Amino acid sequence: MNYVITILVCLFAGIGAGIGTGFAGMSAAAVITPMLVTFLEIEPYTAVGIALASDVLASAVSAYTYGKNKNLDIKNGVVMMVAVLLFTIIGSYVSSLIPPATMGNFSVFMTLLLGIKFIVRPVMTTKADMADVSAKSKFIKSALCGSAVGFICGFVGAGGGMMMLLLLTSVMGYELKTAVGTSVFIMTFTALTGSVSHFAIGGMPNVIPFVLCIIFTLIFARIAARLANKASAKALNRATGVILVILGIAVLGFSFIK
């Protein structure tokens, strides 16, 4: 193993994944997986496991930062998380019975489209607007959105973070900071479940890229989350949109390199 190349690949993967997680609640798997597979030739299943493990602490520290700034809805987040976990299993089972059309770049195109959406049509909902929605409506929408995200993740195997952000802002009516905070809160637990199952089935990966990706993703997620919580709604929409578009293009480029 070339340690210099390994460190550089993990550093850039961690920067992209951390910024995407802290700013937009994006899954680290969308960035880390293609980079590890393309440049370090790590087996895809193992690469996904490393990405999910990197997601756990990065999402947790981001959720803590958003929660500290009162930009996290734990009550409805828990409802959505339970639905996501349950329907991920159901989606996986259905996909094993009915071979889906090839959708390997689903999360990449989702990232690009969502990035453009935030730039062209920013989310300007306020906390006052959110307070007008009844608790019953929030509960029902949380369960339905979680079910949709979980089923798509289980069926397609990608796009969870982006789907959650889209549904939280468009269907749930969350303002952007609360949507990202709630998304990373949910992802902490879904990523933990996914990484544990990956390593239980496929075994532990090489320790160097595993540790480096976790550390770099954690550092840059923490930085991005702190910056995001200080930004205005308009600036955060634009920054989130630009970051998602850049990451989407970069990941798409990696797939062509391979």
Side-chain angles (χ1 to χ4, degrees):
M1 176 182 288
N2 187 315
Y3 293 107
V4 175
I5 292 177
T6 300
I7 292 171
L8 288 174
V9 170
C10 292
L11 172 61
F12 285 112
I15 291 174
I19 291 175
T21 299
F23 259 106
M26 180 179 174
S27 172
V31 178
I32 291 178
T33 302
M35 288 196 69
L36 295 184
V37 172
T38 301
F39 298 109
L40 298 184
E41 298 184 348
I42 292 176
E43 196 270 325
Y45 189 85
T46 303
V48 171
I50 293 174
L52 288 170
S54 302
D55 242 342
V56 177
L57 291 180
S59 294
V61 75
S62 296
Y64 171 78
T65 303
Y66 279 91
K68 193 168 70 171
N69 287 276
K70 300 186 179 357
N71 292 316
L72 170 59
D73 183 357
I74 294 180
K75 182 180 178 181
N76 292 295
V78 169
V79 174
M80 194 171 183
M81 178 183 68
V82 172
V84 168
L85 292 173
L86 176 61
F87 275 83
T88 297
I89 297 171
I90 295 173
S92 297
Y93 176 71
V94 173
S95 70
S96 69
L97 299 176
I98 309 170
T102 176
M103 297 179 74
N105 288 321
F106 176 80
S107 61
V108 180
F109 290 118
M110 190 75 189
T111 301
L112 279 170
L113 291 175
L114 199 55
I116 294 170
K117 187 260 184 191
F118 282 126
I119 296 172
V120 176
R121 193 176 178 184
V123 177
M124 300 305 291
T125 308
T126 64
K127 283 188 169 64
D129 296 328
M130 290 173 58
D132 291 336
V133 182
S134 69
K136 181 180 178 181
S137 177
K138 285 182 180 177
F139 179 89
I140 294 171
K141 286 182 178 179
S142 295
L144 291 175
C145 288
S147 301
V149 171
F151 187 82
I152 290 171
C153 285
F155 193 79
V156 178
M162 294 299 92
M163 278 299 299
M164 260 192 286
L165 188 60
L166 177 63
L167 292 175
L168 286 170
T169 53
S170 301
V171 178
M172 297 287 292
Y174 281 25
E175 55 94 23
L176 186 54
K177 290 181 184 178
T178 305
V180 175
T182 306
S183 177
V184 289
F185 167 74
I186 296 168
M187 280 168 49
T188 301
F189 299 95
T190 55
L192 177 61
T193 304
S195 61
V196 169
S197 63
H198 261 70
F199 297 141
I201 295 170
M204 288 300 293
N206 186 297
V207 70
I208 295 176
F210 175 69
V211 172
L212 288 176
C213 283
I214 289 176
I215 292 173
F216 290 139
T217 305
L218 174 62
I219 291 171
F220 286 95
R222 172 64 170 161
I223 294 170
R226 292 186 68 176
L227 291 174
N229 278 278
K230 292 178 181 178
S232 66
K234 190 173 183 179
L236 182 58
N237 271 275
R238 286 180 176 173
T240 302
V242 170
I243 288 167
L244 290 177
V245 170
I246 291 173
L247 290 175
I249 292 172
V251 173
L252 199 60
F254 297 149
S255 66
F256 284 116
I257 290 173
K258 187 63 177 177

